[in-house]
Amino acid sequence: MSAKTILGQTAEIAGPKKAFIIPKPEVAAAMIKRAERPLLVIGAEAQGIETADGDLIDTAIKVSKSGISVVATGHIVGEFRRRGTEVHSMPLMNLGDRLRDPEWLGLDGKGRYDLAVFVGFSYYLEWLVLNGLKSFAQDLTTISLSRSYQPNAGWSLGTMKAEEWKEVIDVIVKSIKEGN
Amino acid sequence: MFKGIEIEVGRIQDSTWDEPMGPTPFPSVGTLRNWDRKFLNRYKPFYMPFCDLCCLCTYGKCDLTGDKRGACGITMAGQQSRMVLIACCIGASTHAAHARHMLDHLLDEYGRDVPLDVALNTGVEAPHVRLVCGIRPKKLKDLEDVLDYVETQLVQLVAAAHTGQEGDNIDFESKAFHAGMLDHVALEVADIMQIATLGMPRGEPDTPMAELGYGTIDASKPVIMCIGHNVLPSVDIIDYLMENDLFGEVEIGGLCCTAHDMSRYNKRSKIIGPISWQLRFIRSGIPDLIVVDEQCLRTDVMIEAKKLGIPVIATSEMSCLGLSDRTHDDPDVIVDDLVSGKADGALILEPRRVGEISVKTVQGVAERRGEKKPFDIGEISVIAQECSGCMECVRSCPNTLEIAAAVGAAKEGDYVPLAMLYDLCVGCGRCESACPVSLPIISMMTKANEDAIADEKYPIRVGRGAIQDTEIREVGQPIVFGEIPGVVALVGCANYPAGGGDVARIAEEFLKRRFIVLTSGCSAMSIAMTKDEDGLNLYEKYPGNFDAGGLVNVGSCVANSHITGATIKIANIFAKRNLRGNYEEIADYIYNRVGAVGLAWGAMSQKAAAIAAGCWRLGIPVVVGPHGAKYRRMLLGRKEREEDWNVYNARDGEEVYVGPVPEHLFYAAETVEEALVMIAKLVMRPNDTNKGRAVKISHYIDLHKTHYGSMPDDLHLYVRRAQDIPFTMKDEIMKVLEESGWVEDKIAIPDPTLLDRMVRRRG
């Protein structure tokens, strides 16, 4: 797997504290499986991002069936519903604001998340929200599974080509499911 | 002779105005701090640092990540809010400097006693000035005091951002609100003076249609392109053309707000398009002369113009572009220098000298047009061969457009993908700057779309300026009671995530729903540029009056003051609240009663930040597009926290829960659909009548079902009692409410206020 820290957008440079590169997909899967309260955050660009399952929404549906909480931002929950799956829905700004709140009990009211995994966003928007969480939600671990390195996550995939990324995501999803 | 006038040291008081002075005339930086904190306690800032460092002093750079503090002690939250303040100060100063330049010029040209007759059927000529300053300006000269005040306050706000001054993020935020309030005063001053002196429309709903688009320019004639926001130099060009009967021989078109104001001055001038078209239009080779004034100009305009041998006339001290000051030179000598190419441009700082020089120059230059022609369409594939496919263009693009793939197709002679990018491109040119082989990507894209561009021609209703008092009287009640579902203002720049068509789509959605839709600036232009299957745009389909289903183009950036001014006038004219120096009470009224929301889908500039800040202090929520998240902080409510949503009932002083209305004060939407649903929700106010709330809820549900595929999960926070439920949806809504444990009358319908002093009687 690539370990490139090439930024998705030229000027969205990293600050002094940068994301660790996820060395191989199994590591990301292990982090997700090890988390007590993981949350998969799916951005509105997920529809149309090709994966081994179809698109990123199909993949997220698969993950949700592993018992991991999935939240769709923007209006993209509508697409999940059209495909017959209910996931949580919350605007990205509302979610970022709540993730930094130590008293927030999550979308299901069962307690605070210890891991938030982001994918399916425009690069700059994910960059910004992750940076808010980097400084203001320091006890929350964040992972970016986007195809370009996200410096403001705690952990991020390296920048890679679309085909390689599809394989990496597929391995992560399969690894998660194997653990259940 | 001096009856009715009291002279204080440095300021004139109008004792003929019988409205009592409110508590906060000419508020200083801290006067409205407690008011701001009411909002900032409810809508807490969520910071998304755009940069983790502070590099403003020589102790630094300082890393502020997490809990770290800078060498001066500043925190990350403090630094982010400080940058918000600085951005708002830049924006407000820009509008104030614009206003000052115009005022100095107009006082000289028209005299000090020009009456401020700015709108038909209108007594409240300047709601912001009355509200903030506590004065009633009657003549041009009265605006001097107002600008003196604005300038003094802005200096103090900038001073607060110095190292070792303010340190608390909430206090920085309050100061940003102050900058926003000052901004709207400056906007109003700038617009009412140009209306009063230049004969611009005075609030007529049915202003004439002007023409917008590339296709409106007759390129066989000499073409002057004016760019910017300060219309004075363009006015002189138009006057010169009129006086010398040359309007039919020379084309004059504008980009950005100068274009709006040119059309307000004379509808025969053309609006070429929004600010993002600068590079495209310069590169098109159509303009023979570029005249720039100020704000949002490309700072590389000289470089771009020089490539094609187009002379540039700069007209503002704000943007001298390195040119020699030729203001007092013989006009004919300047013209000779520009026509011969001896000089690339000239700085002419006296607006009344710009017209003759511009027109004579363009006539001379047009004769040698084509000497440095842009490339022909067939050359695109030849140029594209240089592309190595490095993807730097894609990585530098704000919208990650598939530029490399389009250039790759062009290599094979397929220009369609390049042409398809045209509408999505914001025109920033970062792709070209990043390209290691310097491909002229913007030019290639524009050229590939050449045929479509040549036919671009859209009608746009000329900016009308203010809303008349009589219109406010007509719609005040249905707005305040919620029966007109809301007032949505689509304003701001053209940094769209997926093209300007989204703005037209949003506008039409709310027009169909009988909201009042206002617009200005680049957004007003983008609305014009989308046609339906019958070839009509929204200006042709909806009237321009301030009423349900009206599409009101107020004009340029400075005309945004009339949008917020209309909300102030609702409080004053409909509700009979005093304006004079009475900011908190009026803002309290607007916040609790007037269902207005601003949308800046392509917000880009610091000026847009300042305009938004002026809305926040008045209690008007603002939604921005995804790029607006780069303003680095949101002001977000937490709808589930009941304790955050209490108000006083002015009838008896009881503190009551009114639900999360409006939920947010500053919010970035990820998608158009999210924005539509959020706007429908943000127009709800505690004062809505049952009927009004039912109308608003029905729109919220309908949009939510359309785009999210379900009923909203927070209806129990907005339905106060059974009468709030839209009749046709009763069963469906009751089912949802029962599932969420809704209790009727838990949410009160009081006479709402956040101000203890507005309580009329204690229970």
Side-chain angles (χ1 to χ4, degrees):
Chain A
M1 190 181 88
S2 296
K4 293 176 185 164
T5 55
I6 299 168
L7 300 165
Q9 284 189 318
T10 315
E12 305 293 1
I13 58 172
K17 185 180 175 186
K18 294 184 279 293
F20 294 110
I21 287 259
I22 297 168
K24 51 184 185 175
E26 291 80 2
V27 172
M31 289 177 73
I32 294 168
K33 283 194 286 187
R34 204 167 51 233
E36 289 180 15
R37 292 269 296 155
L39 178 67
L40 177 59
V41 186
I42 300 291
E45 297 201 350
Q47 188 177 9
I49 296 181
E50 215 176 293
T51 65
D53 304 299
D55 69 7
L56 201 46
I57 292 182
D58 294 318
T59 303
I61 289 170
K62 202 173 184 183
V63 172
S64 73
K65 288 177 179 159
S66 307
I68 292 172
S69 283
V70 174
V71 59
T73 66
H75 68 290
I76 207 69
V77 72
E79 191 54 35
F80 281 84
R81 289 187 172 126
R82 276 186 281 279
R83 300 185 196 186
T85 298
E86 275 297 320
V87 294
H88 296 291
S89 173
M90 185 174 272
L92 181 61
M93 293 299 121
N94 288 8
L95 183 67
D97 190 29
R98 283 161 177 77
L99 284 172
R100 55 111 184 218
D101 175 5
E103 294 175 9
W104 187 50
L105 296 177
L107 293 148
D108 53 9
K110 292 179 180 169
R112 198 168 185 227
Y113 301 106
D114 56 349
L115 176 71
V117 182
F118 287 77
V119 67
F121 294 91
S122 57
Y123 188 79
Y124 63 88
L125 200 56
E126 183 177 347
W127 192 102
L128 281 161
V129 173
L130 286 169
N131 214 25
L133 298 175
K134 183 171 81 178
S135 270
F136 299 104
Q138 293 178 62
D139 55 348
L140 175 74
T141 300
T142 56
I143 292 178
S144 172
L145 296 182
S146 298
R147 193 160 70 79
S148 299
Y149 176 69
Q150 278 285 358
N152 295 324
W155 293 80
S156 173
L157 294 177
T159 297
M160 61 190 81
K161 290 191 184 301
E163 282 307 310
E164 187 185 359
W165 179 81
K166 274 167 67 175
E167 288 170 24
V168 166
I169 294 295
D170 198 39
V171 173
I172 292 172
V173 173
K174 283 178 176 158
S175 301
I176 291 170
K177 286 182 78 74
E178 279 166 14
N180 288 293
Chain B
M1 185 175 177
F2 296 110
K3 195 176 173 186
I5 299 288
E6 292 172 19
I7 300 177
E8 285 185 358
V9 178
R11 186 160 289 151
I12 299 172
Q13 298 287 330
D14 174 6
S15 64
T16 63
W17 191 12
D18 58 7
E19 187 169 305
M21 183 65 86
T24 60
F26 292 106
S28 66
V29 171
T31 305
L32 295 167
R33 184 170 176 258
N34 286 341
W35 171 250
D36 298 335
R37 291 175 93 88
K38 289 179 193 300
F39 283 156
L40 291 163
N41 197 37
R42 185 174 275 195
Y43 304 103
K44 294 193 169 54
F46 171 47
Y47 296 107
M48 296 172 286
F50 209 27
C51 174
D52 293 341
L53 309 178
C54 175
C55 50
L56 285 174
C57 84
T58 66
Y59 283 134
K61 306 169 184 173
C62 291
D63 173 16
L64 304 175
T65 311
D67 295 330
K68 293 188 177 73
R69 293 186 189 184
C72 68
I74 201 159
T75 61
M76 180 64 93
Q79 177 65 6
Q80 296 311 306
S81 54
R82 185 186 187 193
M83 295 308 294
V84 170
L85 169 63
I86 290 171
C88 291
C89 284
I90 293 172
S93 298
T94 304
H95 288 139
H98 172 175
R100 175 63 77 180
H101 177 255
M102 290 188 78
L103 184 60
D104 288 348
H105 174 85
L106 296 173
L107 285 169
D108 273 352
E109 182 164 336
Y110 293 89
R112 302 176 60 78
D113 293 322
V114 178
L116 293 175
D117 185 8
V118 298
L120 303 171
N121 308 310
T122 291
V124 183
E125 72 302 298
H128 285 280
V129 172
R130 287 184 177 207
L131 177 66
V132 174
C133 302
I135 65 169
R136 184 176 53 166
K138 292 177 180 167
K139 295 181 176 176
L140 203 54
K141 63 185 178 186
D142 297 338
L143 300 176
E144 286 184 306
D145 260 3
V146 179
L147 283 183
D148 287 349
Y149 159 72
V150 169
E151 289 159 350
T152 306
Q153 291 298 300
L154 283 171
V155 169
Q156 294 184 24
L157 288 174
V158 175
H162 189 273
T163 301
Q165 296 265 51
E166 191 57 82
D168 180 77
N169 69 303
I170 297 300
D171 271 314
F172 270 126
E173 297 290 355
S174 168
K175 289 175 171 65
F177 281 26
H178 196 61
M181 179 195 74
L182 299 169
D183 185 61
H184 284 245
V185 174
L187 295 171
E188 183 173 88
V189 167
D191 208 47
I192 63 175
M193 78 172 93
Q194 63 180 5
I195 294 170
T197 54
L198 301 178
M200 291 179 176
R202 295 188 299 139
E204 295 93 337
D206 54 349
T207 50
M209 293 286 188
E211 291 185 321
L212 183 151
Y214 274 82
T216 65
I217 299 291
D218 180 351
S220 67
K221 298 176 186 172
V223 178
I224 302 173
M225 179 171 74
C226 303
I227 314 174
H229 290 73
N230 188 328
V231 77
L232 292 176
S234 308
V235 161
D236 195 50
I237 298 171
I238 293 169
D239 286 351
Y240 188 85
L241 291 172
M242 296 293 285
E243 285 159 14
N244 293 279
D245 203 19
L246 290 168
F247 226 119
E249 293 177 35
V250 172
E251 285 284 83
I252 177 167
L255 282 167
C256 208
C257 287
T258 281
H260 269 300
D261 286 343
M262 286 161 63
S263 74
R264 293 166 80 189
Y265 184 65
N266 186 320
K267 81 176 184 76
R268 288 172 66 190
S269 67
K270 312 286 176 59
I271 300 175
I272 296 168
I275 194 73
S276 53
W277 286 20
Q278 278 180 81
L279 209 46
R280 293 174 182 175
F281 200 70
I282 294 170
R283 299 267 188 89
S284 71
I286 295 173
D288 297 296
L289 173 70
I290 297 170
V291 178
V292 296
D293 51 79
E294 57 173 304
Q295 304 162 41
C296 304
L297 312 173
R298 283 198 68 89
T299 52
D300 58 359
V301 64
M302 285 304 303
I303 299 168
E304 290 294 331
K306 202 171 172 179
K307 285 180 194 167
L308 293 169
I310 305 169
V312 175
I313 294 178
T315 60
S316 167
E317 286 179 326
M318 297 299 109
S319 178
C320 297
L321 301 175
L323 294 167
S324 297
D325 184 353
R326 309 286 300 271
T327 308
H328 301 293
D329 289 4
D330 180 339
D332 290 332
V333 173
I334 300 171
V335 171
D336 282 347
D337 287 352
L338 294 174
V339 172
S340 67
K342 188 175 163 191
D344 297 326
L347 178 63
I348 312 288
L349 293 172
E350 169 50 54
R352 280 299 182 199
R353 293 175 70 85
V354 173
E356 178 187 356
I357 295 167
S358 298
V359 174
K360 286 181 173 174
T361 298
V362 81
Q363 288 175 314
V365 171
E367 289 172 15
R368 62 176 170 82
R369 183 195 284 178
E371 284 175 10
K372 296 183 180 177
K373 246 179 78 178
F375 54 82
D376 289 325
I377 192 157
E379 293 173 60
I380 294 178
S381 66
V382 178
I383 296 167
Q385 301 303 320
E386 297 291 318
C387 175
S388 64
C390 69
M391 303 294 285
E392 285 300 303
C393 51
V394 179
R395 290 182 58 233
S396 66
C397 175
N399 290 324
T400 321
L401 296 178
E402 298 290 347
I403 301 165
V407 173
K411 274 187 187 180
E412 310 302 319
D414 177 6
Y415 300 160
V416 174
L418 265 181
M420 299 278 282
L421 293 181
Y422 179 81
D423 283 338
L424 304 174
C425 170
V426 294
C428 68
R430 274 174 26 177
C431 49
E432 293 187 357
S433 191
C435 179
V437 294
S438 303
L439 290 183
I441 297 165
I442 299 283
S443 304
M444 293 163 74
M445 215 183 279
T446 307
K447 202 73 188 171
N449 216 31
E450 194 173 43
D451 290 343
I453 292 168
D455 294 332
E456 275 185 339
K457 203 171 188 177
Y458 311 95
I460 177 169
R461 196 177 296 119
V462 166
R464 57 173 279 184
I467 311 304
Q468 298 179 25
D469 288 5
T470 45
E471 290 176 287
I472 298 288
R473 277 189 200 103
E474 289 292 318
V475 299
Q477 180 169 318
I479 290 173
V480 169
F481 289 173
E483 289 148 13
I484 287 178
V487 179
V488 183
L490 284 79
V491 304
C493 332
N495 189 17
Y496 306 124
D502 285 343
V503 182
R505 182 183 161 199
I506 295 167
E508 182 152 35
E509 183 69 62
F510 289 107
L511 285 165
K512 281 179 183 169
R513 293 173 183 277
R514 307 281 295 160
F515 284 59
I516 300 175
V517 177
L518 298 110
T519 187
S520 66
C522 289
S523 290
M525 297 184 191
S526 297
I527 286 173
M529 291 158 58
T530 298
K531 292 180 178 176
D532 67 11
E533 61 230 15
D534 299 321
L536 299 175
N537 75 8
L538 296 180
Y539 291 107
E540 296 170 288
K541 294 199 289 188
Y542 294 90
N545 49 328
F546 187 75
D547 201 348
L551 175 59
V552 183
N553 175 19
V554 290
S556 55
C557 282
V558 290
N560 279 314
S561 56
H562 303 305
I563 297 176
T564 42
T567 66
I568 295 168
K569 293 210 291 187
I570 289 170
N572 177 233
I573 294 166
F574 164 67
K576 313 274 187 232
R577 303 286 182 110
N578 290 339
L579 287 192
R580 192 177 189 181
N582 194 22
Y583 196 93
E584 288 178 335
E585 182 181 338
I586 296 299
D588 183 59
Y589 184 92
I590 293 168
Y591 175 69
N592 282 301
R593 290 170 169 80
V594 180
V597 179
L599 174 73
W601 191 244
M604 171 277 290
S605 67
Q606 298 90 49
K607 294 196 304 158
I611 292 168
C615 292
W616 304 330
R617 196 175 234 185
L618 280 172
I620 300 171
V622 176
V623 177
V624 287
H627 284 297
K630 296 173 189 170
Y631 285 120
R632 79 194 72 208
R633 77 97 172 79
M634 301 286 110
L635 296 170
L636 303 174
R638 288 285 294 274
K639 60 183 176 184
E640 69 275 23
R641 286 185 177 160
E642 288 186 14
E643 65 274 21
D644 285 355
W645 305 101
N646 290 339
V647 303
Y648 294 111
N649 186 347
R651 296 183 201 108
D652 57 13
E654 187 187 357
E655 263 194 79
V656 293
Y657 171 66
V658 290
V661 285
E663 184 181 348
H664 301 302
L665 209 50
F666 189 48
Y667 175 90
E670 194 181 346
T671 65
V672 169
E673 294 82 358
E674 179 188 337
L676 291 171
V677 174
M678 184 55 76
I679 290 167
K681 187 156 70 160
L682 288 177
V683 295
M684 293 187 216
R685 293 293 182 276
N687 191 65
D688 295 336
T689 59
N690 298 128
K691 185 179 165 194
R693 181 60 65 92
V695 170
K696 292 180 182 186
I697 285 175
S698 69
H699 291 299
Y700 174 44
I701 291 175
D702 186 47
L703 283 164
H704 197 280
K705 285 168 85 169
T706 301
H707 299 299
Y708 288 69
S710 71
M711 292 285 280
D713 62 4
D714 56 2
L715 273 182
H716 59 288
L717 302 175
Y718 302 105
V719 178
R720 299 163 299 182
R721 56 180 66 156
Q723 296 96 309
D724 287 349
I725 299 173
F727 183 73
T728 54
M729 301 177 178
K730 193 163 187 179
D731 293 343
E732 198 179 6
I733 292 174
M734 280 311 298
K735 185 167 174 276
V736 172
L737 292 176
E738 281 163 17
E739 285 167 5
S740 59
W742 176 71
V743 178
E744 187 161 19
D745 285 329
K746 179 181 172 184
I747 306 171
I749 310 178
D751 180 357
T753 177
L754 299 180
L755 297 168
D756 183 66
R757 66 181 166 83
M758 295 307 297
V759 174
R760 294 191 293 275
R761 191 180 58 198
R762 296 285 169 190

